Amino acid sequence: MPRSRFVAAAAVALSFSLLSTSCADNSASTEVGKDVSSEKIPAKVSSDTSITVGAPDLKVALELSGQIDKLPFKVKWANISGGPKCSEAFRAGALDVCSAADIPSINAYWTGLDTKLVAAEFRKEPLRDPIYELGIAPGAGIKTLADLRGKKIAYSPGQAQGALVLRILQKAGLTQDDVTLVELASTDDVYPTALGNHQVDAAPLGEVNIKRYLTKYGKSGGTTVKHGLRDDPGHLWALTDSVSDAQKSAAIRELIKFWARAQIWIDKHPKEWIEGYYVKDQGLSREDGEYLVQRSGDPDIPADWTSAIQRQQQTIDLLAKEQDHKAFKADLLFDRRYESVGAGALAGAGGST
């Protein structure tokens, strides 16, 4: 990051270190972005077809809703999700599909990993129900985004939180030269701890970490600030080799249908989801589960990805500028053969399960 005052933290997870190191190499990007739009997806999938899926929450949702045994193909469930872990599994040929936000597919392109986004989910009220808030360290004196000038901000360049930091700076009229970016992988409680220990002045916090941070450090002055930006993209993300395989491409299409209906089931069955996923599967308290359900908002699964691709293009252009990469067309990341599959499944099911 040549334009910023950049501090590398020592306690960065190995997988993240490997990912962020590889992100500096743009040489392989010309080898990715295969156009699969003309490849026909078979109308039916063979029951013998098997795909490996990294989406633990989807597995639980299908179990709780009684749908998992209705999948018309074989699934090997991998207990991984998110960019760094899924990227490693993709590279090893050990994964076909995973659940991730928008940034991992962009970084994959820049590191020579050919992947496609095959399903998209957002929140109906993304500004009212954001995924992240900007955690503020006790005594940091940050009440607005403009107050970030001169401050230390936790930054994870290979993750969604890193892109959000850059977008926050852009909104505040600041550049990387106006702050100190402290490289930290956003895993577990790394960011809340860094805030509490004054290692950083600000850090994007998500999910239950917002509640836990305010509970632990609120009395000493820890706060959060709303960033006022969309941070809601969620995707099923697939290896291009997998969507290029006829039978796997058909299995992925059917998976998207089950995935879409599962999102609506979760939204309409909060008590079952809290108990079955947050409490029994994730080991959270019921109170934490209720907090997460209240923050999640309502799902939006669009039949038209035009706006999503435009927003992805804006993100690509920003990251290219701020991380010294070559910009590319966002369309390369989306397999639009699947564009209407999720919404179509909901329409066919009356919008619910």
Side-chain angles (χ1 to χ4, degrees):
M1 316 304 297
R3 294 176 54 251
S4 67
R5 291 176 289 151
F6 205 95
V7 179
V12 178
L14 176 59
S15 63
F16 178 81
S17 297
L18 291 172
L19 178 64
S20 60
T21 299
S22 65
C23 284
D25 180 11
N26 300 331
S27 60
S29 64
T30 56
E31 302 173 7
V32 299
K34 177 183 177 182
D35 183 4
V36 296
S37 61
S38 63
E39 297 182 14
K40 186 176 180 180
I41 300 175
K44 293 185 178 180
V45 59
S46 168
S47 60
D48 293 330
T49 301
S50 178
I51 59 174
T52 303
V53 179
D57 56 340
L58 175 58
K59 178 176 182 288
V60 175
L62 294 177
E63 290 172 340
L64 293 174
S65 62
Q67 296 297 303
I68 196 163
D69 292 331
K70 298 180 181 180
L71 289 166
F73 53 90
K74 298 177 182 178
V75 177
K76 297 178 181 178
W77 294 99
N79 191 29
I80 60 173
S81 62
K85 291 181 179 179
C86 288
S87 292
E88 290 177 3
F90 280 149
R91 292 183 189 282
L95 191 67
D96 295 297
V97 181
C98 86
S99 176
D102 53 344
I103 305 306
S105 64
I106 298 173
N107 281 291
Y109 181 91
W110 278 326
T111 59
L113 177 62
D114 204 352
T115 62
K116 300 294 182 185
L117 298 172
V118 297
E121 177 189 11
F122 304 93
R123 295 185 175 187
K124 288 186 177 179
E125 298 289 344
L127 300 185
R128 185 193 67 187
D129 303 310
I131 295 175
Y132 300 102
E133 293 181 18
L134 195 61
I136 307 301
I142 300 172
K143 295 183 179 180
T144 69
L145 300 185
D147 296 330
L148 291 170
R149 184 183 296 274
K151 304 297 184 180
K152 296 179 294 183
I153 306 173
Y155 181 62
S156 49
Q159 297 178 286
Q161 294 90 331
L164 179 59
V165 166
L166 295 178
R167 293 175 64 219
I168 287 172
L169 293 179
Q170 184 182 53
K171 181 179 179 180
L174 301 174
T175 70
Q176 293 187 48
D177 294 327
D178 297 317
V179 300
T180 298
L181 298 180
V182 180
E183 188 173 335
L184 289 170
S186 177
T187 56
D188 301 322
D189 62 348
V190 170
Y191 279 9
T193 300
L195 289 167
N197 293 339
H198 298 279
Q199 186 177 358
V200 295
D201 299 304
L205 301 179
E207 299 183 325
V208 76
N209 275 334
I210 298 171
K211 175 178 176 289
R212 291 178 175 175
Y213 176 68
L214 294 176
T215 298
K216 187 172 183 178
Y217 296 103
K219 291 182 179 179
S220 60
T223 61
T224 64
V225 171
K226 297 287 183 67
H227 53 69
L229 296 163
R230 290 198 71 158
D231 63 4
D232 60 329
H235 297 282
L236 287 183
W237 181 34
L239 195 62
T240 299
D241 284 347
S242 298
V243 297
S244 297
D245 178 278
Q247 280 300 309
K248 284 190 175 184
S249 70
I252 291 169
R253 181 193 59 220
E254 298 307 308
L255 178 73
I256 294 167
K257 296 177 183 179
F258 280 81
W259 165 84
R261 291 191 289 261
Q263 307 316 305
I264 302 303
W265 185 91
I266 291 169
D267 187 50
K268 293 184 178 296
H269 298 81
K271 292 183 180 179
E272 293 93 331
W273 186 240
I274 290 168
E275 184 64 29
Y277 180 64
Y278 288 124
V279 176
K280 290 186 177 180
D281 188 77
Q282 296 294 296
L284 300 179
S285 69
R286 189 165 286 100
E287 182 183 27
D288 284 346
E290 291 171 350
Y291 172 81
L292 289 171
V293 165
Q294 290 172 358
R295 283 188 58 87
S296 64
D298 299 312
D300 176 28
I301 298 175
D304 184 343
W305 290 350
T306 302
S307 295
I309 294 173
Q310 290 173 346
R311 292 194 296 271
Q312 187 85 332
Q313 187 66 61
Q314 293 170 356
T315 301
I316 291 169
D317 293 342
L318 175 63
L319 293 180
K321 176 183 176 182
E322 298 295 336
Q323 296 181 348
D324 194 25
H325 288 297
K326 183 179 179 180
F328 62 94
K329 296 296 184 182
D331 305 71
L332 296 174
L333 300 179
F334 289 80
D335 189 342
R336 300 191 79 162
R337 296 177 299 169
Y338 299 106
E339 185 169 11
S340 63
V341 172
L346 298 183
S352 63
T353 59

